[in-house]
Amino acid sequence: MSRKTLRVSKIKNGTVIDHITGGHALDVIKILGITGHVDGVVTVAINVPSKKLDTKDMVKIEGRELKAEEVDKIALLAPHATINIVRNYKVVDKQRVKLPSVIREIVRCANPACISNSKEPVQPTFYVDSEEPLRIRCHYCGYIMEKQDVLKQF
Ligand SMILES: [Zn+2]
């Protein structure tokens, strides 16, 4: 068993988020709403040497499988991440996150005057101009949001 496999499969049940861009693990923790008051073990590894990226971060969450919406949010801030679902020490599902070219619902426009922030029944919609660094553009008002604007909402 390779060292990498060993690292990933150490938890019994849960999710291992691997290949997070170095330094972004804490953003991922924030997106997932993990605080000091969770049940189960959460392990964070920061600046692990990586072949694919210079350094990478990893987050292991015992006893929790991520929902599709949570995976989409992670794609916004860690576009190279892989999500491994672990059951009984085995990786049963492995997928790379994918940032769609159009993002709906998961973020709101940071422009308070935008129609998507009014009471109109308008679905927030953004176009991805750049994945890294993140730049998304509002369909309605053209406002451009960057990583920090998005992070504030989680
Ligand atoms: Zn807008």
Side-chain angles (χ1 to χ4, degrees):
M1 191 188 281
S2 76
R3 216 168 156 192
K4 192 179 160 198
T5 316
L6 197 67
R7 262 200 197 126
V8 170
S9 55
K10 244 186 218 165
I11 65 173
K12 186 178 181 198
N13 294 297
T15 306
V16 176
I17 309 163
D18 197 2
H19 298 110
I20 301 167
T21 312
H24 288 63
L26 298 181
D27 296 341
V28 170
I29 294 285
K30 188 163 183 247
I31 291 170
L32 298 177
I34 293 170
T35 64
H37 305 281
V38 284
D39 304 326
V41 178
V42 176
T43 312
V44 179
I46 292 177
N47 292 332
V48 181
S50 161
K51 274 188 196 135
K52 243 203 268 181
L53 311 162
D54 287 341
T55 57
K56 65 175 185 176
D57 291 358
M58 281 175 84
V59 175
K60 296 191 239 183
I61 307 160
E62 186 94 52
R64 175 167 166 188
E65 295 186 8
L66 298 189
K67 299 188 198 88
E69 193 198 288
E70 295 172 319
V71 173
D72 288 347
K73 287 181 178 174
I74 291 171
L76 277 170
L77 300 176
H80 307 288
T82 48
I83 311 281
N84 301 273
I85 303 294
V86 179
R87 289 182 197 144
N88 205 17
Y89 300 105
K90 286 206 183 84
V91 175
V92 295
D93 184 42
K94 180 172 184 152
Q95 54 166 305
R96 219 194 116 168
V97 300
K98 199 176 176 314
L99 194 58
S101 53
V102 181
I103 295 168
R104 294 193 171 86
E105 296 292 345
I106 57 173
V107 279
R108 282 178 296 104
C109 184
N111 171 12
C114 180
I115 189 166
S116 67
N117 284 321
S118 69
K119 291 207 172 70
E120 303 293 324
V122 169
Q123 184 187 49
T125 303
F126 296 88
Y127 303 107
V128 177
D129 283 350
S130 160
E131 276 195 10
E132 215 171 16
L134 182 72
R135 280 167 63 89
I136 58 174
R137 183 166 34 90
C138 177
H139 167 70
Y140 302 100
C141 70
Y143 191 93
I144 291 185
M145 304 218 301
E146 296 180 349
K147 195 187 113 179
Q148 287 311 320
D149 303 307
V150 170
L151 260 183
K152 269 186 226 155
Q153 298 182 19
F154 299 143

